[in-house]
Amino acid sequence: MAIQTVQARDINLRYLIDNFGIELVRNPDFFPEWQNDLPELSVYDKQLLDKIKDGYFNLLNYPPLLEGVVRQAITDPLLFIGDFYLAPFYVKSEESIDIEVPDKDVVIKGRIDTLVLRDQFWVMIIESKKASFSIEEGLAQLLAYMLGSPQENKPNFGLIATGSEFIFIKLVKGDKPQYGTSKVFSMRNPGNDLYDVLKILKKLIQIASF
């Protein structure tokens, strides 16, 4: 039988439930890492994050705010400030991935927007979407990529960034994969939620690296 190809961007949560048995865990104890013992940021880091937020609101005056612009103006600067382009980490863009569907002649194909690695191991998947994009629309695609991660025995972490909103995802594989999410961080909230986004990025990437 010929292998059927499905594009990751076309699948939904129902597909992942039916074919991988994935389930959402809403118990906060499942994903405590985004809340506890977060690293501190320097004053300079906060100043740079304030500039990113100011840039975001400036870009809103010149729509549309598309995926490429979100990556250039928000996601990439976050990784730069967090030192994720420096050793021992490195970053790959548009990484191709194939995910085999269990017990079926089906392969899910896609391209990961941003993949943070250490010693050939995936430590974080980041998907940048246009500002008008719903986080719910991108969740199944990101989870599919996380299911394709070579890390089987430790949690996998991902981030959806739409420019206006950010949400972290934790996936634990096994016979029945389980995932949980952080709260949604928004540019519209008072203060600067990018402080928390960068703190969590630093924490999760360190956890996934060891």
Side-chain angles (χ1 to χ4, degrees):
M1 181 180 294
I3 300 294
Q4 178 186 355
T5 299
V6 177
Q7 297 300 319
R9 64 178 178 270
D10 296 329
I11 66 174
N12 54 35
L13 280 176
R14 186 72 253 166
Y15 186 93
L16 297 181
I17 293 169
D18 292 342
N19 291 278
F20 293 89
I22 196 169
E23 63 179 17
L24 170 66
V25 179
R26 297 173 61 188
N27 187 330
D29 292 337
F30 177 79
F31 191 5
E33 296 93 339
W34 71 270
Q35 301 178 76
N36 300 333
D37 301 320
L38 299 180
E40 292 298 321
L41 301 180
S42 69
V43 172
Y44 183 59
D45 286 344
K46 293 178 180 179
Q47 291 172 344
L48 293 176
L49 294 172
D50 289 341
K51 285 188 175 182
I52 294 177
K53 183 168 182 175
D54 290 342
Y56 166 76
F57 282 104
N58 179 59
L59 288 169
L60 291 182
N61 296 325
Y62 303 93
L65 186 52
L66 301 178
E67 294 174 27
V69 179
V70 170
R71 286 180 61 181
Q72 292 172 10
I74 299 169
T75 308
D76 289 345
L78 272 172
L79 294 175
F80 177 81
I81 296 169
D83 292 335
F84 302 131
Y85 290 105
L86 302 178
F89 304 107
Y90 62 103
V91 175
K92 286 190 174 182
S93 179
E94 298 293 329
E95 183 76 0
S96 297
I97 180 173
D98 293 348
I99 306 111
E100 295 184 5
V101 179
D103 303 321
K104 294 187 179 180
D105 294 317
V106 178
V107 172
I108 300 172
K109 288 185 173 289
R111 286 185 177 273
I112 298 171
D113 280 352
T114 305
L115 180 61
V116 182
L117 304 101
R118 175 173 176 169
D119 300 328
Q120 305 299 320
F121 289 100
W122 296 14
V123 293
M124 175 70 67
I125 302 171
I126 302 173
E127 286 293 296
S128 302
K129 303 298 182 185
K130 60 185 180 181
S132 60
F133 195 86
S134 165
I135 281 176
E136 298 300 334
E137 293 178 65
L139 182 58
Q141 181 180 352
L142 179 62
L143 285 171
Y145 293 154
M146 293 171 73
L147 285 167
S149 165
Q151 273 73 270
E152 296 288 342
N153 299 320
K154 62 168 91 174
N156 292 267
F157 298 104
L159 169 66
I160 299 174
T162 69
S164 61
E165 294 183 325
F166 306 81
I167 189 169
F168 290 90
I169 294 91
K170 175 182 179 179
L171 174 72
V172 176
K173 293 186 182 182
D175 295 334
K176 195 174 187 64
Q178 297 180 314
Y179 75 97
T181 68
S182 71
K183 75 174 188 180
V184 176
F185 299 89
S186 174
M187 288 288 209
R188 291 287 182 183
N189 286 340
N192 191 344
D193 276 8
L194 289 178
Y195 295 178
D196 289 327
V197 171
L198 183 57
K199 288 179 183 179
I200 296 167
L201 266 175
K202 285 175 171 283
K203 174 73 177 292
L204 297 185
I205 284 180
Q206 291 295 335
I207 290 173
S209 299
F210 296 100

